[in-house]
Each structure stands twice: as structure tokens, then as C-alpha cells.
Amino acid sequence: MMLASTELFNEIDDLEKQVFDSVAVIGATGSVGTIILQLLEQRNFQAKTFRFLASARSAGKKIVFQGKEVVVEELTKDSFTGVDLVIASTPDETAAEFLPYAVEAGAKIIDESGYWRMNDDVALVIPEINPQDALNAKGIIASPNCSTTQMVMAMKPLHDISPIRRVIVSTYQATSGAGVQGDEDLVQGSKARLENREYEYKVFQHPIAFNAIPQIGSEKHEGYTSEEMKMVYETRKILGDDSIQINPTCVRIPVWNCHSESITVETESPISPEQAREAFAAFPGIQVMDNLNESVYPMPSNCDGLNDVFVGRIRKDISHPNGLSFWCVSDNLRKGAATNAVQIAELLSENHAVASNL
Ligand SMILES: NC(=O)c1ccc[n+]([C@@H]2O[C@H](COP(=O)([O-])OP(=O)(O)OC[C@H]3O[C@@H](n4cnc5c(N)ncnc54)[C@H](OP(=O)(O)O)[C@@H]3O)[C@@H](O)[C@H]2O)c1
């Protein structure tokens, strides 16, 4: 029997909580994986055993988790025997190659990579928006791209007041979005530039130090990049509305962590800034920081390390009667990745508890 998510949360309190037997965190040594481990620990996620996996490069490394040392294992196709929940944050090609073995082994899978998101059999989930899709999913549940998640979180309360017909969004994306090596490029590239030395960038097409690069990914569709088209396709899938028109420009900037977005939405009927402020404030996982006269708005410097999505600079679009503009910042490693995945894991765990007691 499948329960609506609110019924589910109420029932859980009355039941003896069951836990997953074995949880495997894949990509545990990466930027996202490291935060996933922190969150599982801080939020006291229950499982009988945790296994941490990564590439052969990391096999044998030790990670202290819940007071115990866990040795990192190399991921192989046989890694999933006895595992009932997988949380994976690896490059696309690793997810493509290995996750089918996890499906075959009968595990539930939460995947951070971009590889499976648009597959018809895969749920693409933000727990505040479409939790039921996670509960109905059979194998892989994908977590959206980081720039998509914060935008869709901010769109949803507005879309519920009056359907959004069109979005124009420009992103200002942090280097941590490109993983451990992205951070390294920012730090080493900046040092080299200040010391007037050459540095060979590993992940960016151009020097990221003291620069802005208007390309994230490769060309995907009519001059738009793969990162930009993710924002289009994934948003439509999560909101279940293929008619929403989205025009994104994604830019990498020399900020360590937290993506910022300038967003303008056009709705079927006008939404006033006051209505929008109220709807944002009432939505779970969104916080409003909005007082221009006092210079209060979200920035990477005041959102780093926080799990929510932050909005500010909420104002009427002076160029269109049904337009609304705002600024949105979120920690890409958290709500853009690890926090969203752990929230999905919590949802599955609670459902697992209910199912085990029926
Ligand atoms: N960074 C973000 O803001 C963000 C947001 C949303 C989604 N994502 C997605 O999340 C995924 C991980 O991103 P990240 O930023 O954490 O990258 P990362 O820092 O480069 O970490 C990649 C992880 O994958 C592991 N890995 C690489 N190749 C592997 C293989 N053949 N077998 C097993 N493990 C392998 C690495 O292990 P080793 O340490 O052994 O190399 C590492 O643990 C990517 O698909 C990314 O697109 C990232």
C-alpha cells in the first residue's frame, strides 16, 4: 500500500522504526560524497552497515564515520551484493557503467550524476516538490543538476499561484560545481596569477582566476550548452509541464562554493513582489533575505554551508506586466546535491519503515 507523503510522516511516529540493512555511498571521497557523509552522520541516518566506495585510486583510504574507521573500497560490478540503498555521486560514465548492476542486485539507488536523469524509467526528485515520484520509483532515483534544483525550488511556490509560462535565467556558478579538481584549479590558478606564474588548468577551458567563463559543458542545442539544456529539460520533468519556456545562460565564476542565479519569470497572471515574498517564506526549504535599503540579500558568502535555497532582490519586472525578477543563491554541494540526495534517502527510509511494519 502506498501512502501520501504527509500521511506517511504521521504514521512513522507510531511505528517501530526499521532501517536499511546496508547503505553504500559511492564517490564517498568526492566533493559531493564528502558532504553526503557529513549529513548522514549529523542527521543520524540509520543503517546497520555503511560501505564507502570510490575508484581504485582511493581504495584503502580510511574515513572516520559515526566514530568508527571505514575503509574505502574500490567500486566493481560485484559491489552491490546485499546492499539495499546506494547513494552515488560519481562522474556520468561511472554511473552509466555500474548502476545497472545495483538495479540488478535489487537496491534502491539515488544518483547525483547527469547520466540517468532524463531516462523515462527514472524519477527525478526534489523532495519538497515531487516526493511521491521517489516513493513510486522502482530502481534509480536521480537528483537534479545543482543549477536546476535551486531554480525549480524557487519557481514552485510562484507556479502554484499562477503557472509560469517563461523563465529567463543567468547563472553565476561556483568552481566546486566542477568537483574536487574545480576547487584545486581556482586555488592554484589564483595563486599562480598573483605570483605572475603559469598554471595549467585541469577542468576549465580558460583561466578561472579573476575571470568569468560563459560556457559550462559542451554545445548541446542551437548554441546552448549541456548545462543550460539540463536546466530546460530537468525543470519540465520535475514540474511535469513541458510547456514552460526557459532561456538559460550558465556562467562559471571564481567563487569557491554556492551558485547564484538571476531569475525572471513570466506568469499567466501577475504576481506582486509582496505575494511572492509571502509564498517563498511559506515554502519549505526556502528562506527570504530581502532588504535592498539595508543591503540584505543572499550571496555565496552568507549561504555557504547552509542547506536551504535563499532568495532576495524580489521585484516587479519593469519590462513586462506579468514579470517578476529575483536573485537566488544556494550551496550547490548541499541542496544542489548532497542535501537533496540525503532528503530522498530519508524519505525512502521512512517509507521502508512503514512498509516493513505493514
Ligand atoms: N559538485 C557539485 O556541485 C555537484 C552538484 C550536483 C551534481 N553533481 C554531480 O555529482 C557527481 C560527483 O560530483 P563531485 O563534484 O563530487 O565530483 P568529484 O569531486 O570529482 O568526485 C567524484 C567521485 O567519484 C569517484 N569516482 C570517479 N571515477 C570513479 C570510478 N571509475 N569508480 C568509482 N568511483 C569513481 C571519485 O573517486 P576517487 O576519489 O577515487 O577519484 C570521487 O569519489 C558528478 O556526476 C556531478 O556532475 C555535482
Side-chain angles (χ1 to χ4, degrees):
M1 184 175 70
M2 190 55 69
L3 299 168
S5 61
T6 40
E7 288 170 325
L8 191 69
F9 292 130
N10 294 338
E11 294 230 354
I12 288 155
D13 292 340
D14 304 330
L15 295 170
E16 186 194 338
K17 195 161 178 170
Q18 301 275 315
V19 294
F20 283 117
D21 280 336
S22 173
V23 174
V25 180
I26 302 176
T29 51
S31 296
V32 175
T34 303
I35 308 281
I36 286 174
L37 299 190
Q38 273 179 28
L39 290 168
L40 291 173
E41 203 167 37
Q42 282 162 7
R43 294 159 77 118
N44 199 21
F45 188 88
Q46 296 292 310
K48 290 187 185 142
T49 58
F50 287 94
R51 289 170 56 197
F52 302 152
L53 300 100
S55 77
R57 293 178 290 275
S58 304
K61 271 190 189 163
K62 290 179 184 137
I63 295 178
V64 177
F65 180 80
Q66 294 181 340
K68 288 185 220 139
E69 257 186 8
V70 181
V71 179
V72 176
E73 302 167 52
E74 179 185 354
L75 175 66
T76 70
K77 64 183 175 53
D78 301 319
S79 296
F80 304 102
T81 311
V83 171
D84 40 14
L85 178 67
V86 170
I87 309 178
S89 45
T90 66
D92 285 5
E93 55 277 16
T94 310
E97 181 181 349
F98 289 98
L99 294 189
Y101 295 110
V103 174
E104 210 174 285
K108 289 264 184 203
I109 300 140
I110 302 165
D111 181 32
E112 292 284 4
S113 86
Y115 188 79
W116 296 100
R117 290 180 192 141
M118 294 309 297
N119 186 302
D120 285 344
D121 296 328
V122 168
L124 184 60
V125 173
I126 299 177
E128 291 88 343
I129 296 175
N130 56 341
Q132 199 61 44
D133 288 350
L135 299 178
N136 293 340
K138 292 279 176 290
I140 301 174
I141 300 166
S143 186
N145 183 42
C146 39
S147 46
T148 307
T149 299
Q150 68 185 78
M151 179 179 76
V152 178
M153 279 286 287
M155 284 171 68
K156 176 66 174 156
L158 305 176
H159 197 56
D160 287 345
I161 300 174
S162 173
I164 293 175
R165 301 280 41 113
R166 184 165 178 240
V167 184
I168 297 175
V169 54
S170 297
T171 70
Y172 305 68
Q173 297 185 218
T175 54
S176 64
V180 169
Q181 193 56 57
D183 285 344
E184 190 65 7
D185 269 3
L186 177 61
V187 173
Q188 298 307 333
S190 301
K191 274 189 190 163
R193 173 72 188 272
L194 289 169
E195 291 164 7
N196 216 12
R197 283 189 285 109
E198 289 295 311
Y199 170 74
E200 194 186 326
Y201 284 88
K202 309 293 184 304
V203 291
F204 301 118
Q205 307 90 336
H206 300 279
I208 187 63
F210 309 98
N211 201 8
I213 305 174
Q215 177 184 0
I216 303 182
S218 51
E219 183 175 2
K220 175 83 178 172
H221 176 76
E222 295 191 5
Y224 286 77
T225 65
S226 47
E227 182 82 357
E228 288 158 357
M229 293 315 294
K230 283 177 193 174
M231 295 186 80
V232 176
Y233 301 140
E234 294 180 16
T235 298
R236 291 176 176 164
K237 179 166 176 173
I238 298 160
L239 292 177
D241 185 346
D242 281 346
S243 69
I244 300 176
Q245 299 300 315
I246 304 165
N247 181 348
T249 304
C250 291
V251 182
R252 186 78 66 190
I253 60 163
V255 157
W256 209 332
N257 193 33
C258 291
H259 293 347
S260 305
E261 297 180 353
S262 163
I263 302 174
T264 293
V265 297
E266 185 187 319
T267 46
E268 255 175 38
S269 47
I271 297 177
S272 70
E274 294 70 33
Q275 266 181 302
R277 225 169 263 127
E278 207 175 293
F280 284 139
F283 197 78
I286 297 187
Q287 291 194 44
V288 177
M289 298 172 83
D290 194 26
N291 186 338
L292 182 58
N293 291 332
E294 302 281 333
S295 301
V296 172
Y297 27 71
M299 296 174 286
S301 60
N302 55 15
C303 298
D304 187 22
L306 303 178
N307 289 307
D308 286 339
V309 171
F310 296 82
V311 290
R313 298 294 320 277
I314 302 162
R315 61 204 191 276
K316 204 173 144 38
D317 171 1
I318 52 173
S319 72
H320 195 287
N322 290 9
L324 184 87
S325 294
F326 55 94
W327 176 250
C328 174
V329 180
S330 186
D331 185 329
N332 49 290
L333 293 176
R334 286 182 177 262
K335 186 57 189 167
T339 305
N340 200 62
V342 171
Q343 285 176 311
I344 297 171
E346 288 170 342
L347 196 62
L348 297 180
S349 173
E350 286 153 2
N351 192 42
H352 189 70
V354 172
S356 309
N357 281 279
L358 290 177

PDB file of all heavy atoms in Angstrom, residues 310-327:
ATOM      1  N   PHE A 310      18.036  30.339  -0.973  1.00  0.00           N
ATOM      2  CA  PHE A 310      17.827  31.700  -0.471  1.00  0.00           C
ATOM      3  C   PHE A 310      17.423  32.618  -1.629  1.00  0.00           C
ATOM      4  O   PHE A 310      18.019  32.544  -2.713  1.00  0.00           O
ATOM      5  CB  PHE A 310      19.106  32.222   0.188  1.00  0.00           C
ATOM      6  CG  PHE A 310      19.479  31.414   1.408  1.00  0.00           C
ATOM      7  CD1 PHE A 310      20.166  30.219   1.287  1.00  0.00           C
ATOM      8  CD2 PHE A 310      19.082  31.827   2.677  1.00  0.00           C
ATOM      9  CE1 PHE A 310      20.481  29.445   2.399  1.00  0.00           C
ATOM     10  CE2 PHE A 310      19.389  31.064   3.797  1.00  0.00           C
ATOM     11  CZ  PHE A 310      20.088  29.866   3.658  1.00  0.00           C
ATOM     12  N   VAL A 311      16.428  33.492  -1.377  1.00  0.00           N
ATOM     13  CA  VAL A 311      16.007  34.434  -2.420  1.00  0.00           C
ATOM     14  C   VAL A 311      15.998  35.861  -1.879  1.00  0.00           C
ATOM     15  O   VAL A 311      15.766  36.097  -0.690  1.00  0.00           O
ATOM     16  CB  VAL A 311      14.598  34.094  -2.985  1.00  0.00           C
ATOM     17  CG1 VAL A 311      14.630  32.824  -3.818  1.00  0.00           C
ATOM     18  CG2 VAL A 311      13.566  33.975  -1.881  1.00  0.00           C
ATOM     19  N   GLY A 312      16.280  36.788  -2.786  1.00  0.00           N
ATOM     20  CA  GLY A 312      16.266  38.208  -2.436  1.00  0.00           C
ATOM     21  C   GLY A 312      16.095  39.036  -3.694  1.00  0.00           C
ATOM     22  O   GLY A 312      15.853  38.500  -4.775  1.00  0.00           O
ATOM     23  N   ARG A 313      16.246  40.370  -3.569  1.00  0.00           N
ATOM     24  CA  ARG A 313      16.081  41.296  -4.707  1.00  0.00           C
ATOM     25  C   ARG A 313      14.757  41.012  -5.440  1.00  0.00           C
ATOM     26  O   ARG A 313      14.700  41.082  -6.682  1.00  0.00           O
ATOM     27  CB  ARG A 313      17.260  41.203  -5.683  1.00  0.00           C
ATOM     28  CG  ARG A 313      18.640  41.565  -5.143  1.00  0.00           C
ATOM     29  CD  ARG A 313      18.778  43.037  -4.762  1.00  0.00           C
ATOM     30  NE  ARG A 313      18.119  43.922  -5.694  1.00  0.00           N
ATOM     31  CZ  ARG A 313      18.635  44.361  -6.848  1.00  0.00           C
ATOM     32  NH1 ARG A 313      19.840  44.014  -7.182  1.00  0.00           N
ATOM     33  NH2 ARG A 313      17.959  45.180  -7.622  1.00  0.00           N
ATOM     34  N   ILE A 314      13.699  40.700  -4.676  1.00  0.00           N
ATOM     35  CA  ILE A 314      12.414  40.345  -5.305  1.00  0.00           C
ATOM     36  C   ILE A 314      11.750  41.634  -5.778  1.00  0.00           C
ATOM     37  O   ILE A 314      11.527  42.560  -4.988  1.00  0.00           O
ATOM     38  CB  ILE A 314      11.509  39.604  -4.282  1.00  0.00           C
ATOM     39  CG1 ILE A 314      12.227  38.352  -3.768  1.00  0.00           C
ATOM     40  CG2 ILE A 314      10.151  39.259  -4.894  1.00  0.00           C
ATOM     41  CD1 ILE A 314      11.655  37.783  -2.482  1.00  0.00           C
ATOM     42  N   ARG A 315      11.443  41.698  -7.065  1.00  0.00           N
ATOM     43  CA  ARG A 315      10.922  42.951  -7.620  1.00  0.00           C
ATOM     44  C   ARG A 315      10.110  42.677  -8.877  1.00  0.00           C
ATOM     45  O   ARG A 315      10.268  41.633  -9.519  1.00  0.00           O
ATOM     46  CB  ARG A 315      12.085  43.920  -7.926  1.00  0.00           C
ATOM     47  CG  ARG A 315      13.063  43.374  -8.946  1.00  0.00           C
ATOM     48  CD  ARG A 315      14.433  44.028  -8.801  1.00  0.00           C
ATOM     49  NE  ARG A 315      15.317  43.720  -9.905  1.00  0.00           N
ATOM     50  CZ  ARG A 315      16.070  42.611  -9.992  1.00  0.00           C
ATOM     51  NH1 ARG A 315      16.020  41.682  -9.063  1.00  0.00           N
ATOM     52  NH2 ARG A 315      16.856  42.423 -11.041  1.00  0.00           N
ATOM     53  N   LYS A 316       9.251  43.645  -9.193  1.00  0.00           N
ATOM     54  CA  LYS A 316       8.465  43.572 -10.415  1.00  0.00           C
ATOM     55  C   LYS A 316       9.416  43.698 -11.609  1.00  0.00           C
ATOM     56  O   LYS A 316      10.396  44.438 -11.548  1.00  0.00           O
ATOM     57  CB  LYS A 316       7.520  44.795 -10.383  1.00  0.00           C
ATOM     58  CG  LYS A 316       6.296  44.697 -11.170  1.00  0.00           C
ATOM     59  CD  LYS A 316       5.439  45.927 -10.865  1.00  0.00           C
ATOM     60  CE  LYS A 316       4.700  46.393 -12.102  1.00  0.00           C
ATOM     61  NZ  LYS A 316       4.203  45.326 -12.952  1.00  0.00           N
ATOM     62  N   ASP A 317       9.116  42.967 -12.680  1.00  0.00           N
ATOM     63  CA  ASP A 317       9.863  43.130 -13.931  1.00  0.00           C
ATOM     64  C   ASP A 317       9.303  44.375 -14.609  1.00  0.00           C
ATOM     65  O   ASP A 317       8.149  44.374 -15.066  1.00  0.00           O
ATOM     66  CB  ASP A 317       9.657  41.871 -14.786  1.00  0.00           C
ATOM     67  CG  ASP A 317      10.199  41.999 -16.200  1.00  0.00           C
ATOM     68  OD1 ASP A 317      10.766  43.062 -16.536  1.00  0.00           O
ATOM     69  OD2 ASP A 317      10.058  41.026 -16.963  1.00  0.00           O
ATOM     70  N   ILE A 318      10.104  45.433 -14.648  1.00  0.00           N
ATOM     71  CA  ILE A 318       9.572  46.689 -15.177  1.00  0.00           C
ATOM     72  C   ILE A 318       9.404  46.655 -16.703  1.00  0.00           C
ATOM     73  O   ILE A 318       8.858  47.578 -17.295  1.00  0.00           O
ATOM     74  CB  ILE A 318      10.438  47.927 -14.780  1.00  0.00           C
ATOM     75  CG1 ILE A 318      11.916  47.695 -15.126  1.00  0.00           C
ATOM     76  CG2 ILE A 318      10.258  48.263 -13.307  1.00  0.00           C
ATOM     77  CD1 ILE A 318      12.782  48.933 -14.913  1.00  0.00           C
ATOM     78  N   SER A 319       9.813  45.526 -17.333  1.00  0.00           N
ATOM     79  CA  SER A 319       9.675  45.453 -18.788  1.00  0.00           C
ATOM     80  C   SER A 319       8.470  44.617 -19.221  1.00  0.00           C
ATOM     81  O   SER A 319       8.207  44.484 -20.413  1.00  0.00           O
ATOM     82  CB  SER A 319      10.942  44.852 -19.406  1.00  0.00           C
ATOM     83  OG  SER A 319      11.019  43.468 -19.138  1.00  0.00           O
ATOM     84  N   HIS A 320       7.743  44.012 -18.231  1.00  0.00           N
ATOM     85  CA  HIS A 320       6.620  43.138 -18.613  1.00  0.00           C
ATOM     86  C   HIS A 320       5.578  43.113 -17.491  1.00  0.00           C
ATOM     87  O   HIS A 320       5.949  42.912 -16.330  1.00  0.00           O
ATOM     88  CB  HIS A 320       7.139  41.716 -18.890  1.00  0.00           C
ATOM     89  CG  HIS A 320       6.152  40.874 -19.624  1.00  0.00           C
ATOM     90  ND1 HIS A 320       5.015  40.365 -19.038  1.00  0.00           N
ATOM     91  CD2 HIS A 320       6.131  40.463 -20.918  1.00  0.00           C
ATOM     92  CE1 HIS A 320       4.331  39.673 -19.927  1.00  0.00           C
ATOM     93  NE2 HIS A 320       4.995  39.721 -21.081  1.00  0.00           N
ATOM     94  N   PRO A 321       4.282  43.271 -17.831  1.00  0.00           N
ATOM     95  CA  PRO A 321       3.258  43.343 -16.767  1.00  0.00           C
ATOM     96  C   PRO A 321       3.133  42.059 -15.944  1.00  0.00           C
ATOM     97  O   PRO A 321       2.760  42.106 -14.766  1.00  0.00           O
ATOM     98  CB  PRO A 321       1.953  43.623 -17.528  1.00  0.00           C
ATOM     99  CG  PRO A 321       2.249  43.323 -18.963  1.00  0.00           C
ATOM    100  CD  PRO A 321       3.713  43.480 -19.171  1.00  0.00           C
ATOM    101  N   ASN A 322       3.441  40.884 -16.546  1.00  0.00           N
ATOM    102  CA  ASN A 322       3.322  39.617 -15.811  1.00  0.00           C
ATOM    103  C   ASN A 322       4.686  39.078 -15.380  1.00  0.00           C
ATOM    104  O   ASN A 322       4.841  37.883 -15.130  1.00  0.00           O
ATOM    105  CB  ASN A 322       2.619  38.553 -16.668  1.00  0.00           C
ATOM    106  CG  ASN A 322       1.151  38.861 -16.855  1.00  0.00           C
ATOM    107  OD1 ASN A 322       0.695  39.947 -16.482  1.00  0.00           O
ATOM    108  ND2 ASN A 322       0.413  37.944 -17.438  1.00  0.00           N
ATOM    109  N   GLY A 323       5.689  39.954 -15.315  1.00  0.00           N
ATOM    110  CA  GLY A 323       7.042  39.507 -14.991  1.00  0.00           C
ATOM    111  C   GLY A 323       7.427  39.786 -13.546  1.00  0.00           C
ATOM    112  O   GLY A 323       6.960  40.753 -12.925  1.00  0.00           O
ATOM    113  N   LEU A 324       8.265  38.906 -12.998  1.00  0.00           N
ATOM    114  CA  LEU A 324       8.796  39.069 -11.638  1.00  0.00           C
ATOM    115  C   LEU A 324      10.270  38.670 -11.680  1.00  0.00           C
ATOM    116  O   LEU A 324      10.616  37.640 -12.278  1.00  0.00           O
ATOM    117  CB  LEU A 324       8.045  38.151 -10.674  1.00  0.00           C
ATOM    118  CG  LEU A 324       8.434  38.278  -9.214  1.00  0.00           C
ATOM    119  CD1 LEU A 324       7.594  39.391  -8.558  1.00  0.00           C
ATOM    120  CD2 LEU A 324       8.195  36.973  -8.460  1.00  0.00           C
ATOM    121  N   SER A 325      11.137  39.479 -11.072  1.00  0.00           N
ATOM    122  CA  SER A 325      12.572  39.177 -11.073  1.00  0.00           C
ATOM    123  C   SER A 325      13.063  38.971  -9.643  1.00  0.00           C
ATOM    124  O   SER A 325      12.552  39.609  -8.721  1.00  0.00           O
ATOM    125  CB  SER A 325      13.360  40.333 -11.701  1.00  0.00           C
ATOM    126  OG  SER A 325      13.030  40.449 -13.069  1.00  0.00           O
ATOM    127  N   PHE A 326      14.034  38.092  -9.486  1.00  0.00           N
ATOM    128  CA  PHE A 326      14.646  37.899  -8.166  1.00  0.00           C
ATOM    129  C   PHE A 326      16.024  37.263  -8.320  1.00  0.00           C
ATOM    130  O   PHE A 326      16.408  36.829  -9.412  1.00  0.00           O
ATOM    131  CB  PHE A 326      13.742  37.060  -7.236  1.00  0.00           C
ATOM    132  CG  PHE A 326      13.338  35.719  -7.782  1.00  0.00           C
ATOM    133  CD1 PHE A 326      14.056  34.580  -7.476  1.00  0.00           C
ATOM    134  CD2 PHE A 326      12.232  35.598  -8.606  1.00  0.00           C
ATOM    135  CE1 PHE A 326      13.693  33.338  -7.978  1.00  0.00           C
ATOM    136  CE2 PHE A 326      11.845  34.364  -9.120  1.00  0.00           C
ATOM    137  CZ  PHE A 326      12.580  33.237  -8.806  1.00  0.00           C
ATOM    138  N   TRP A 327      16.735  37.205  -7.202  1.00  0.00           N
ATOM    139  CA  TRP A 327      18.091  36.673  -7.126  1.00  0.00           C
ATOM    140  C   TRP A 327      18.029  35.452  -6.218  1.00  0.00           C
ATOM    141  O   TRP A 327      17.333  35.491  -5.184  1.00  0.00           O
ATOM    142  CB  TRP A 327      18.976  37.764  -6.542  1.00  0.00           C
ATOM    143  CG  TRP A 327      20.414  37.459  -6.262  1.00  0.00           C
ATOM    144  CD1 TRP A 327      21.004  37.334  -5.034  1.00  0.00           C
ATOM    145  CD2 TRP A 327      21.462  37.303  -7.222  1.00  0.00           C
ATOM    146  NE1 TRP A 327      22.352  37.104  -5.177  1.00  0.00           N
ATOM    147  CE2 TRP A 327      22.661  37.084  -6.516  1.00  0.00           C
ATOM    148  CE3 TRP A 327      21.504  37.327  -8.618  1.00  0.00           C
ATOM    149  CZ2 TRP A 327      23.882  36.884  -7.140  1.00  0.00           C
ATOM    150  CZ3 TRP A 327      22.729  37.128  -9.241  1.00  0.00           C
ATOM    151  CH2 TRP A 327      23.902  36.913  -8.500  1.00  0.00           C
TER     152      TRP A 327
END
